[in-house]
Amino acid sequence: MQHKKIAFIGAGNMAFAIISGLVKSGYPASEIIACNKSNQVRRQELATMGINVELSNRQAVEQADVVILAVKPQMMAEVCAEFADVDFSSKWVLSVAAGISVGRLEQLLPSANNIVRSMPNTPSLIGEGLSGLFAKKSVDPTACQFAETLLSAVGQCYWVETEAQLNQIIAITGSSPAYFFRFMEAMQQSAVQMGFSENDARFLVQSVAVGAAKMVVANPNLSLATLRENVTSKGGTTAQALAVFEQHQLADTVNQAMNAAIKRAEEME
Ligand code: NAD
């Protein structure tokens, strides 16, 4: 990757995860600027890594070829106002903020014409993320490539064709770690009711979740249905358990839940 000067506006959890991944993958820390106004400990941590720590968002932006917008969505307008008059025509912008459309970013930064919007998920914080990415057709393909390389530092990337699909990505990969946590939580509660300690129940549930996920990844030629059927002997224990899920229309419940997430994402834009 060509070493462009990258400024992170907001150096909280998501930015820190990306910065750490970049540095680990060999990107020179001296080419990274991070702005974090509120967290002295984080600033020291970044400085120790060799990152240039800035207090002025504007100065960081002025020095950068690539600007990563990584503040909370509700802060975005106020923060962008600090550098809205900087000439962005030769800079690339990558936003990781949930719910802020490209159109809104174009209003906030009128001279920016190469904006990539992304929707990373929480497992990105441990390098196991999935980031949905969207850019208008007019965006420089090299900017898109660079955005993908940046987010690959925290996991996998998936480009969508339309911005509306980013809201679907939120339902499929953004909110969904919580669906799995909820399912595991229910299993843990059930194991506790049987008499296992909370810790033991968690150990058992997390072990099977990791094992099942790894089986999916290790068997790309087997459909999820086949993997399920392979554990399900006719008349056996698994068949009994799955029949209860079917009686309660698990697939329909999941579908309704995902559509509710999409609807909420659309309302928030
Ligand atoms: P965070 O609260 O950890 O980080 C936000 C950072 O912004 C903080 O370090 C804060 O000091 C800084 N900040 C606040 N006001 C500022 C200002 N005026 N100028 C400069 N910096 C300022 O939040 P996060 O979880 O890292 O989220 C950041 C963005 O990433 C959000 O827009 C969020 O939607 C997006 N995101 C996060 C996740 C996740 O898993 N954490 C997932 C998807 C998207």
Side-chain angles (χ1 to χ4, degrees):
M1 179 169 38
Q2 195 195 340
H3 294 147
K4 292 187 168 288
K5 197 87 164 173
I6 310 170
F8 284 82
I9 304 303
N13 293 323
M14 183 51 72
F16 190 71
I18 300 172
I19 292 170
S20 305
L22 280 175
V23 172
K24 216 185 283 174
S25 68
Y27 203 91
S30 58
E31 296 300 305
I32 301 173
I33 309 166
C35 258
N36 183 315
K37 290 189 179 177
S38 58
N39 189 334
Q40 162 80 14
V41 176
R42 177 54 54 82
R43 282 204 299 276
Q44 269 165 0
E45 220 171 344
L46 289 161
T48 310
M49 289 163 70
I51 306 294
N52 303 288
V53 180
E54 264 285 357
L55 283 175
S56 157
N57 290 327
R58 192 186 172 86
Q59 279 176 24
V61 164
E62 280 171 347
Q63 297 169 59
D65 305 307
V66 182
V67 176
I68 317 291
L69 300 172
V71 291
K72 289 282 187 200
Q74 61 272 24
M75 294 297 297
M76 193 60 83
E78 186 186 325
V79 168
C80 286
E82 291 177 41
F83 44 77
D85 59 331
V86 171
D87 180 10
F88 270 80
S89 57
S90 61
K91 299 183 193 293
W92 296 341
V93 177
L94 170 65
S95 167
V96 299
I100 309 247
S101 67
V102 169
R104 179 73 182 125
L105 293 168
E106 285 171 342
Q107 280 171 358
L108 295 172
L109 302 173
S111 62
N113 40 34
N114 285 303
I115 299 177
V116 177
R117 183 182 160 198
S118 68
M119 183 60 219
N121 65 0
T122 308
S124 303
L125 302 178
I126 56 158
E128 295 286 346
L130 186 290
S131 298
L133 285 156
F134 169 75
K136 285 183 171 174
K137 293 271 177 283
S138 56
V139 172
D140 181 347
T142 334
C144 295
Q145 184 57 52
F146 195 83
E148 180 171 334
T149 310
L150 281 173
L151 287 167
S152 297
V154 289
Q156 320 240 28
C157 290
Y158 183 86
W159 285 92
V160 293
E161 290 286 317
T162 67
E163 194 164 13
Q165 285 176 304
L166 267 193
N167 289 332
Q168 297 168 340
I169 287 290
I170 291 174
I172 303 167
T173 70
S175 301
S176 59
Y179 315 160
F180 289 102
F181 298 151
R182 183 66 188 94
F183 195 86
M184 290 165 72
E185 195 188 350
M187 285 182 66
Q188 183 192 31
Q189 280 164 353
S190 184
V192 167
Q193 277 170 23
M194 294 170 204
F196 291 90
S197 70
E198 286 232 349
N199 276 348
D200 285 1
R202 178 174 168 145
F203 165 71
L204 295 169
V205 171
Q206 77 187 26
S207 302
V208 77
V210 171
K214 284 190 173 171
M215 276 186 78
V216 172
V217 176
N219 292 286
N221 298 326
L222 297 183
S223 70
L224 296 173
T226 302
L227 285 165
R228 170 176 52 75
E229 282 157 10
N230 288 350
V231 202
T232 316
S233 320
K234 208 160 181 228
T237 55
T238 313
Q240 286 299 307
L242 291 174
V244 175
F245 288 143
E246 290 314 315
Q247 275 162 27
H248 292 273
Q249 296 168 325
L250 177 72
D252 186 51
T253 305
V254 171
N255 187 40
Q256 284 186 42
M258 287 171 69
N259 282 317
I262 295 171
K263 187 165 173 278
R264 183 69 189 123
E266 287 168 353
E267 284 165 6
M268 285 166 71
E269 262 193 7

